[in-house]
Amino acid sequence: MTLKALTFAPTGGIVAAPTTSLPEKIGGARNWDYRYCWLRDATLTLQSLLVAGYTQEAAGWLEWLLRAIAGDLARLQIMYGIDGTRRLQEFELPWLAGYEGSAPVRVGNTAAQQFSSTYWVRSSMACH
C-alpha cells in the first residue's frame, strides 16, 4: 500500500519518496529533495507493484516513461518530475532552519544531470 501511495495517478509517475530536505545525518548538509521519479527506484517499485497485482499502476508508469523520454533514448535522464519534467532546478531556502537544524533546505534536485548506466538496465527490464 505504501508503494502504491508513491504513484501519481494523473500521470503514472512514481516518486522515490514523498519527502524533501530530510538529512542523511541529523545536523548534516546532505539534504536532498526526493519528490521526483528516479528511474532506478521507480522500476524497483514497479516490480513490487506487479507482484502485488497492481497492473494498472504498472501500465500507467510505462506510459509515463514513454512520454518522459519522448522517443529520444539519447536524452534519457536518471530522474524526472512527477509529470515528466526534464529540467529540474535546485535551489535553497535559507530562511528555513531544516529538520533538527539540518540545513540547507533544498527544493529541486540537480542530480538529473548525472549519468548512471543502471537506469538504462532497470528501465529496459521494466519495459520487458
Side-chain angles (χ1 to χ4, degrees):
M1 187 58 131
T2 301
L3 294 178
K4 186 176 178 340
L6 296 175
T7 63
F8 185 57
T11 65
I14 301 173
V15 296
T19 60
T20 184
S21 299
L22 289 179
E24 291 180 4
K25 177 180 155 187
I26 299 295
R30 296 178 56 92
N31 313 316
W32 310 113
D33 189 349
Y34 291 105
R35 300 171 300 161
Y36 295 96
C37 297
W38 294 68
L39 295 188
R40 181 198 61 193
D41 297 350
T43 55
L44 295 171
T45 300
L46 179 69
Q47 290 170 344
S48 297
L49 289 172
L50 285 170
V51 167
Y54 291 106
T55 56
Q56 191 172 15
E57 288 77 2
W61 183 80
L62 181 57
E63 290 174 16
W64 172 89
L65 177 63
L66 294 174
R67 284 190 312 272
I69 63 173
D72 189 356
L73 288 176
R75 294 183 53 217
L76 189 65
Q77 298 179 182
I78 63 170
M79 61 186 284
Y80 296 86
I82 192 75
D83 60 354
T85 303
R86 301 179 69 82
R87 296 183 69 202
L88 305 177
Q89 298 176 345
E90 181 179 304
F91 56 94
E92 296 179 4
L93 306 176
W95 59 90
L96 296 176
Y99 180 77
E100 297 286 326
S102 302
V105 172
R106 289 189 176 93
V107 175
N109 198 314
T110 56
Q113 301 168 2
Q114 297 174 359
F115 175 81
S116 172
S117 60
T118 60
Y119 66 82
W120 284 91
V121 174
R122 293 278 183 199
S123 298
S124 63
M125 288 172 50
C127 293
H128 200 278

